[in-house]
Amino acid sequence: MSRKNEQAFRERAAADALADQGRWQDAAESYRALAEAGSQDEVLFHNWGVTLRELARPQEAIAAFEQALGLKPSYAKAFHGLSLAYRDLGAADSARMAIELALENDPGRDIFRLELIDQLIHAGEWDAALQQADRFDRDDPGYPVAQNLKGLALRKTGSMAAALDAFGHAIDADPRFAAPLQNRANLHLRARRFSLAVADFDAAIALAPQTAWLAGLRLYAAMHVFDWRGHAQQRQTLLKRVEAGEPVAQPLIVQHLTDDPALQQVAAKTWAARTLPTPRLAERHLGFPAGRKIRIAYVSRDFHSHPVAYLIAEVLALHDRQVFDVAVINYGSGSDDPMQRRLRAGVDAFLDVQHSSDEQIVQICRELSIDIAVDLTGYTDHARSAIFAHRIAPVQVLYLGYLGTAGAALYDYVVADRYLVDERTRGFVDEKLMVLPSYQANDRQRPRPAGGDQRAIAGLPENAFVFCCFNNPAKLTPSMFAAWARILGRVPGSVLWLLAEEDEAIRNLRSHAAELGLDPAWLVFADRCDRETYLARLASADLFLDTLPYNAGTTASDALWMGLPVLTQAGQSFAGRMASSLLHAVGLPELVVATQDEYVDTAVALATDGDSFNELRNRLQENRDSAVLFDTPAFTRCLELAYLTALSGTQEGDIAVGETIAPHRSDTPWHIGNTAITSP
């Protein structure tokens, strides 16, 4: 080696050492200086590209990788780096071409094969991904990663049992590999096997404690089985990290941990920045379409027997078909359950896109020329919020499934009412608001079964005052349970009827009750059941005790529908004011209290003053069918008016629909400003 080459080698080695130390900026400057000095070393340009990617400068990284390939056109590692940089930019087609060229030049390298599988999964080509994953033998170094990716692809296809097996194979092959443990835990969580989820999350945390979102998921899974070991400290630590912008807890989980809308907003912003593409800020073409009806698309994975579907079903059918065409974009499963059959019959188009990639769904929506797109899922389980980042309609709305802000420019509007967001909390919602007289859609066709013998079936004392809460168990915090314990202690002969899905959950909560001085027998547990039985249970109870920081939503309106009063403490956040909104809409504002002490005192008073309680319950049962909460036709007209105002572009800020709105006849035009909207 010549002296000149030796010097160049040493200088590159020095730059490489800086990169090895994670001193990316210093390394990048060293590589740049060497390149400007005329280096013709393809490895230098490759390493420079790697460094530029670490500095989140993908365009410059692409230029560096291309210079490496200009010096050595068969340089497979440079094609791999180029592929990763294109992925950073969201250029999926270019990334795919680059990784295929890497494999063409070095077909046996595991890291390239695994990258192709990952790209196939993200492109929605799950069968192709599975074929590639199955080409790995057990003795291949990349086998554990291939099995983990196989599990992800199987999960996308809905093959949950096979996905569990694949994750198990990955764990068996490499017990130190944290990713499949977390992925298997997520599957257990989704299948409501919470104890198994906690065990896998604990194992994953032991191996990779800094993994994004892992700490929050573990705490959330534990809350479902009332596993409150170290809860206060874990919660405090987690929320401090959320406040610092760390990716430790998904927004929905943070809503279960705090009533602080500012922290919830930070969590949403962090989630959006870390997991979603930069929202497309393309020009929005507002205005009413010429020569056709306005097209509304409701987008979700929950168009089946699910709380969101139970609420929205009648609204979809009641939309004014003289003005609107209504489509459903269903990226959940296609099923033959009664609710999905009803939804399919109630809309103009029902598109099953479960097996389509985000990009394909975006293209479908654009081809349909959707005018108003409504996301009914938000940041809940297995949401595909990236669809909205790509802008699928001039007006994009967040509604119903997720209670709060998205923290990013995904949506133009969030639907609310004056009880959910007020002047003090308005700054914690980044979107504009559609303020309706009442927030929640409802379905007048839901059944109303009699309570019958549900008390006897459940083992409830015949003459007891029955407090109940059938909220998701994760909504029950130690503080909330302590308040309930105070109530039970002051109401002789009362019991508390709760939802629990695992024996461990029952054991844990009875243990907590004993620690608070309660007889564990005062707790009665219900398991999951069919919808009519669940509604009949609500009719058999006396008073529904709501939770904070995350209120009952569908469960609260179900209770009110069945004539069961709901007591809530109003919080500060959107999720902490849901029951308050419902109680105002059903004409029972006196059941909304401000403090926990008032919550306890009110519950005790209602349970011990039979005359007052009976008057309140009779009033609910007499007035519920005429209440604003269950006036679905009027609600639908209000929602339509908000949609039309947004699409017209005649109002720049929040849209507020009046407290009352006259019923709209489908044979008369809507008027927005001076514009009449009629069917074509």
Side-chain angles (χ1 to χ4, degrees):
M1 181 183 296
S2 69
R3 183 172 298 177
K4 181 178 180 181
N5 287 341
E6 286 180 6
Q7 177 66 21
F9 180 81
R10 283 196 298 270
E11 290 174 346
R12 198 196 82 202
D16 292 344
L18 292 170
D20 290 340
Q21 297 166 27
R23 296 170 59 183
W24 303 113
Q25 186 61 50
D26 292 338
E29 289 300 320
S30 295
Y31 290 131
R32 181 188 60 78
L34 290 169
E36 289 178 350
S39 174
Q40 296 297 298
D41 181 354
E42 70 274 8
V43 176
L44 180 148
F45 285 102
H46 168 268
N47 293 353
W48 190 17
V50 171
T51 301
L52 290 165
R53 277 198 68 237
E54 291 289 346
L55 292 169
R57 291 154 62 180
Q59 293 279 16
E60 295 173 69
I62 288 169
F65 291 129
E66 288 178 339
Q67 285 179 284
L69 289 165
L71 295 168
K72 185 179 178 181
S74 62
Y75 193 3
K77 288 178 68 176
F79 278 121
H80 177 236
L82 191 63
S83 180
L84 297 177
Y86 276 126
R87 286 192 75 175
D88 294 340
L89 289 173
D93 291 342
S94 296
R96 176 77 164 273
M97 183 181 299
I99 196 61
E100 288 174 346
L101 287 167
L103 280 166
E104 183 179 307
N105 286 282
D106 190 354
R109 191 176 291 267
D110 281 3
I111 193 171
F112 302 164
R113 298 165 65 196
L114 295 169
E115 174 62 23
L116 177 61
I117 296 170
D118 196 27
Q119 292 195 23
L120 289 168
I121 292 171
H122 281 84
E125 298 180 41
W126 300 314
D127 289 339
L130 292 171
Q131 291 173 8
Q132 292 290 335
D134 284 337
R135 293 178 182 175
F136 280 79
D137 296 326
R138 288 183 177 274
D139 295 333
D140 291 340
Y143 175 79
V145 179
Q147 286 296 305
N148 183 56
L149 290 170
K150 179 179 179 180
L152 294 175
L154 288 165
R155 188 179 70 183
K156 293 285 190 180
T157 67
S159 304
M160 298 305 173
L164 280 174
D165 287 342
F167 293 137
H169 292 322
I171 295 163
D172 292 341
D174 184 0
R176 304 292 301 171
F177 187 17
L181 281 163
Q182 180 174 353
N183 289 329
R184 188 170 71 177
N186 284 329
L187 280 189
H188 286 317
L189 183 59
R190 183 176 180 181
R192 310 192 75 82
R193 296 186 291 264
F194 301 112
S195 298
L196 292 174
V198 171
D200 274 350
F201 281 133
D202 281 340
I205 288 172
L207 294 171
Q210 298 305 313
T211 301
W213 321 116
L214 190 53
L217 285 163
R218 190 269 174 207
L219 186 57
Y220 184 60
M223 290 170 69
H224 281 85
V225 288
F226 314 121
D227 179 354
W228 295 336
R229 294 171 295 169
H231 177 87
Q233 182 59 49
Q234 290 178 46
R235 173 184 175 275
Q236 182 180 16
T237 300
L238 202 70
L239 292 179
K240 284 183 178 178
R241 295 179 67 188
V242 168
E243 187 175 17
E246 295 184 46
V248 292
Q250 298 170 9
L252 180 66
I253 294 172
V254 174
Q255 291 177 345
H256 284 75
L257 297 174
T258 178
D259 184 45
D260 184 345
L263 269 183
Q264 293 182 7
Q265 184 184 43
V266 170
K269 289 180 180 294
T270 301
W271 174 260
R274 295 287 187 131
T275 69
L276 298 175
T278 301
R280 183 181 179 191
L281 299 178
E283 182 181 354
R284 296 166 57 219
H285 300 288
L286 297 174
F288 303 125
R292 64 168 175 83
K293 299 176 186 177
I294 295 166
R295 295 172 181 168
I296 307 174
Y298 288 90
V299 184
S300 180
R301 66 177 298 275
D302 299 324
F303 295 113
H304 56 93
S305 295
H306 183 278
V308 166
Y310 295 145
L311 293 176
I312 200 69
E314 189 175 11
V315 170
L316 300 186
L318 286 178
H319 273 308
D320 186 347
R321 290 316 200 273
Q322 296 297 312
V323 176
F324 302 99
D325 281 328
V326 180
V328 155
I329 309 295
N330 175 40
Y331 59 80
S333 61
S335 66
D336 193 37
D337 73 21
M339 177 51 72
Q340 190 165 110
R341 289 199 299 271
R342 179 181 167 195
L343 292 169
R344 289 179 185 275
V347 297
D348 301 296
F350 193 106
L351 283 72
D352 291 294
V353 296
Q354 180 186 15
H355 300 300
S356 300
S357 67
D358 290 348
E359 291 76 12
Q360 289 167 334
I361 296 172
V362 169
Q363 187 59 35
I364 289 169
C365 291
R366 290 178 182 165
E367 289 174 356
L368 290 172
S369 297
I370 300 300
D371 300 300
I372 302 164
V374 185
D375 187 355
L376 298 177
T377 304
Y379 292 159
T380 58
D381 185 37
H382 291 278
R384 297 177 70 172
S385 311
I387 295 166
F388 287 83
H390 293 292
R391 179 60 63 177
I392 60 174
V395 175
Q396 299 190 159
V397 182
L398 178 60
Y399 180 49
L400 205 57
Y402 174 76
L403 308 179
T405 185
L410 302 179
Y411 311 101
D412 306 299
Y413 294 91
V414 165
V415 179
D417 63 31
R418 64 190 178 95
Y419 300 105
L420 290 168
V421 182
D422 61 19
E423 291 182 359
R424 293 174 299 167
T425 61
R426 178 65 186 88
F428 304 118
V429 180
D430 295 308
E431 300 81 1
K432 292 179 286 187
L433 299 178
M434 291 181 173
V435 183
L436 306 186
S438 174
Y439 166 81
Q440 193 188 74
N442 266 285
D443 176 22
R444 298 169 302 167
Q445 297 182 39
R446 80 181 87 186
R448 190 177 280 160
D453 56 357
Q454 285 300 314
R455 285 199 175 197
I457 293 172
L460 293 162
E462 183 177 351
N463 297 317
F465 190 93
V466 177
F467 297 103
C468 83
C469 181
F470 294 148
N471 283 356
N472 185 328
K475 294 183 180 182
L476 176 53
T477 66
S479 173
M480 198 78 250
F481 187 65
W484 290 352
R486 291 166 59 194
I487 294 167
L488 290 173
R490 290 172 57 185
V491 182
S494 64
V495 296
L496 179 58
W497 198 9
L498 300 167
L499 178 65
E501 300 173 76
E502 294 187 15
D503 291 342
E504 182 178 345
I506 295 172
R507 287 193 300 269
N508 285 339
L509 203 60
R510 284 185 170 155
S511 175
H512 298 317
E515 291 169 0
L516 293 169
L518 297 182
D519 184 344
W522 295 352
L523 306 182
V524 181
F525 293 94
D527 55 9
R528 296 264 172 186
C529 60
D530 64 85
R531 183 156 174 76
E532 290 217 12
T533 300
Y534 148 73
L535 291 170
R537 287 174 177 173
L538 289 169
S540 303
D542 293 307
L543 180 64
F544 188 103
L545 297 176
D546 192 25
T547 49
L548 189 73
Y550 202 115
N551 285 180
T554 308
T555 312
S557 62
D558 284 339
L560 296 169
W561 175 257
M562 295 304 301
L564 175 63
V566 175
L567 175 65
T568 192
Q569 177 187 344
Q572 296 301 311
S573 67
F574 202 117
R577 296 181 175 186
M578 178 54 57
S580 175
S581 166
L582 301 176
L583 287 163
H584 280 90
V586 83
L588 294 176
E590 63 266 44
L591 292 181
V592 180
V593 300
T595 68
Q596 190 172 95
D597 285 345
E598 189 179 356
Y599 177 92
V600 171
D601 291 342
T602 303
V604 172
L606 289 170
T608 55
D609 185 344
D611 290 341
S612 296
F613 178 75
N614 289 333
E615 185 278 328
L616 183 145
R617 184 155 189 163
N618 290 337
R619 178 155 48 96
L620 170 61
Q621 293 174 347
E622 290 170 2
N623 297 337
R624 60 189 166 181
D625 289 341
S626 60
V628 172
L629 181 61
F630 299 118
D631 189 347
T632 312
F635 172 87
T636 307
R637 299 290 84 80
C638 289
L639 186 63
E640 289 174 340
L641 182 56
Y643 287 167
L644 290 169
T645 304
L647 185 62
S648 72
T650 58
Q651 189 164 326
E652 293 185 0
D654 295 347
I655 295 169
V657 176
E659 281 298 310
T660 59
I661 182 170
H664 176 73
R665 292 169 47 199
S666 62
D667 59 349
T668 60
W670 281 101
H671 287 271
I672 305 297
N674 296 320
T675 305
I677 312 302
T678 58
S679 58

